[in-house]
């Protein structure tokens, strides 16, 4: 059986804002950052502390009978629990109190106060815990979009997807494996919207997904205190190797009006991309007026034109500077 090429995500120590913006950010590739100050959360955020400090505010959580959660086919249910009770259950392996079964898996992705309008913000949803967490200053404050509190049962695996904003995943407690795929491998990932249909990335069904092996796999294991820089459009899949607590910090690296203003999650395609995809659908409907051989002929010409106009020839070899994308080269330059 053909094996997928695997590469390690590079790790860096002693990274401050200057080093990040000068040496790491312009590469537009994932990077593990070690030794960045995240605050007192690294010492404090035990399950016991979270139960005590987080209080009994109700949180909406994912619950599944299996640890491999599938968003496309919804093999989980949404439930509501007091935060302290959720933490107690998520940190257990067998549950005396449960919804579905005694070894069910739990996952929290914090939400804004108005889930349809407001992005998550740790300082608003969990102000007492936010005092323990220091947001890395690798972007300008006015670019901040959201800080998402995430808590996972041991063994929980989340579906492969991409986000349209840059983000830093801070692993506070527990260990987590992260597998990433380049945006240039999107055609091998069998996408449905922003998510991959390949649920089991470690033992994929190659009869159903034969091209999946062509996608280059980047992998790392995050330990407490590690930061993972995930550039926008990079696909990622996470597996909690232990009960884990983390915070995702997203920021707008494109001009603000590039993003959908009604998107509190930060995963809707940029406005221009949405318009382009809608225009493509209209063009394809127009081609339907022609016989099959004409559709084939003009379809191939359209593909060729799209490739010439949009493909970055050097992207897979270097980075997006080959695409005339302006990226910061000094700390005084805004990302984007």
């Amino acid at each position: 059986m053909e094996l997928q090429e695997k590469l390690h995500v590079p790790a860096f120590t002693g990274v401050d804002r200057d080093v990040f913006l000068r040496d790491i950010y312009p590469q537009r590739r994932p990077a593990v950052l070690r030794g960045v100050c995240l605050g007192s959360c690294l010492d404090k955020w035990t399950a016991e502390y979270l139960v005590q400090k987080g209080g009994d505010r109700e949180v909406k959580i994912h619950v599944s009978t299996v640890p491999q959660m599938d968003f496309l086919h919804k093999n989980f249910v949404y439930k509501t629990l007091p935060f302290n009770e959720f933490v107690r259950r998520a940190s257990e392996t067998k549950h005396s109190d449960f919804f579905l079964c005694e070894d069910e898996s739990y996952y929290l992705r914090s939400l804004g106060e108005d889930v349809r309008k407001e992005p998550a913000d740790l300082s608003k949803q969990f102000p007492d815990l936010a005092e323990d967490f220091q947001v890395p200053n690798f972007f300008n404050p006015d670019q901040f979009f959201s800080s998402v509190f995430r808590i996972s049962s041991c063994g929980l695996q989340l579906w492969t997807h991409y986000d349209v904003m840059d983000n830093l995943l801070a692993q506070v407690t527990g260990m987590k494996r992260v597998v990433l795929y380049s945006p240039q491998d999107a055609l091998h990932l069998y996408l449905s919207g922003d998510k991959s249909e390949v649920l089991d990335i470690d033992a994929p069904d190659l009869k159903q997904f034969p091209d999946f092996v062509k996608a280059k796999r980047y992998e790392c294991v995050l330990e407490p205190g590690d930061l993972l820089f995930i550039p926008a459009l990079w696909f990622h899949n996470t597996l909690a190797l232990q009960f884990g607590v983390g915070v995702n910090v997203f920021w707008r690296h494109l001009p603000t009006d590039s993003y959908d203003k009604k998107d509190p999650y930060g995963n809707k395609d940029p406005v221009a991309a949405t318009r382009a995809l809608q225009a493509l659908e209209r063009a394809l409907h127009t081609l339907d007026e022609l016989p099959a051989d004409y559709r084939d002929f003009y379809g191939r010409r359209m593909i060729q034109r799209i490739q010439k106009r949009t493909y970055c020839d050097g992207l897979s070899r270097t980075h997006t500077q080959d695409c005339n994308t302006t990226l910061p080269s000094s700390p005084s330059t805004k990302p984007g």
Side-chain angles (χ1 to χ4, degrees), residues 29 136 141 166 180 259 332 334 336:
R29 300 175 75 86
D166 287 344
L180 304 106
Y259 301 102
S332 62
K334 288 186 179 182

Side-chain angles (χ1 to χ4, degrees), residues 13-81:
T13 56
V15 176
D16 58 16
R17 177 185 172 93
D18 292 2
V19 172
F20 179 74
L21 291 178
R22 183 187 67 233
D23 300 335
I24 297 172
Y25 188 83
Q27 301 300 317
R28 307 302 298 158
R29 300 175 75 86
V32 177
L33 315 178
R34 297 202 164 114
V36 177
C37 181
L38 297 178
S40 59
C41 58
L42 294 178
D43 298 318
K44 290 182 176 180
W45 282 9
T46 62
E48 295 75 21
Y49 179 84
L50 293 174
V51 165
Q52 175 191 354
K53 201 78 170 177
D56 58 0
R57 65 165 290 156
E58 291 198 333
V59 290
K60 187 176 183 180
I61 58 174
H62 302 63
V63 184
S64 177
T65 58
V66 294
Q68 200 172 58
M69 288 194 178
D70 180 357
F71 189 88
L72 292 176
H73 301 100
K74 296 293 192 298
N75 67 344
F76 55 84
V77 294
Y78 292 108
K79 295 292 184 180
T80 302
L81 278 177

Side-chain angles (χ1 to χ4, degrees), residues 143-288:
Q143 294 175 292
F144 172 82
F145 178 74
S146 66
S147 51
V148 182
F149 197 30
R150 299 184 191 271
I151 300 180
S152 306
S153 296
C154 179
L156 184 93
Q157 187 170 13
L158 290 178
W159 51 88
T160 304
H161 69 284
Y162 70 87
D163 300 296
V164 299
M165 296 184 189
D166 287 344
N167 86 86
L168 290 165
L169 169 57
Q171 188 68 17
V172 179
T173 67
M175 297 174 66
K176 177 175 289 183
R177 185 196 75 176
V178 185
V179 174
L180 304 106
Y181 299 95
S182 165
Q184 282 66 55
D185 280 332
L187 298 183
H188 307 316
L189 298 180
Y190 298 88
L191 297 184
S192 178
D194 63 339
K195 300 168 184 66
S196 171
E197 295 180 4
V198 184
L199 183 63
D200 191 345
I201 63 171
D202 299 304
D205 182 346
L206 296 183
K207 289 185 178 179
Q208 186 177 3
F209 308 113
D211 285 346
F212 183 66
V213 293
K214 297 178 182 178
K216 193 178 296 183
R217 171 177 173 142
Y218 297 79
E219 188 170 323
C220 62
V221 173
L222 301 180
E223 299 180 359
D226 285 350
L227 270 178
L228 175 61
F229 170 51
I230 306 177
L233 307 184
W234 273 78
F235 297 86
H236 44 285
N237 177 293
T238 62
L239 171 63
L241 303 177
Q242 300 169 327
F243 165 71
V245 182
V247 180
N248 263 121
V249 180
F250 292 85
W251 71 93
R252 303 179 184 92
H253 63 289
L254 301 177
T256 301
D257 58 4
S258 300
Y259 301 102
D260 189 322
K261 292 181 176 60
K262 297 181 180 179
D263 177 19
Y265 295 96
N267 58 10
K268 287 187 178 181
D269 291 319
V271 175
T274 299
R275 289 203 311 267
L277 290 169
Q278 291 170 344
L280 176 61
E281 283 301 316
R282 291 194 294 271
L284 292 173
H285 282 304
T286 302
L287 283 185
D288 285 341

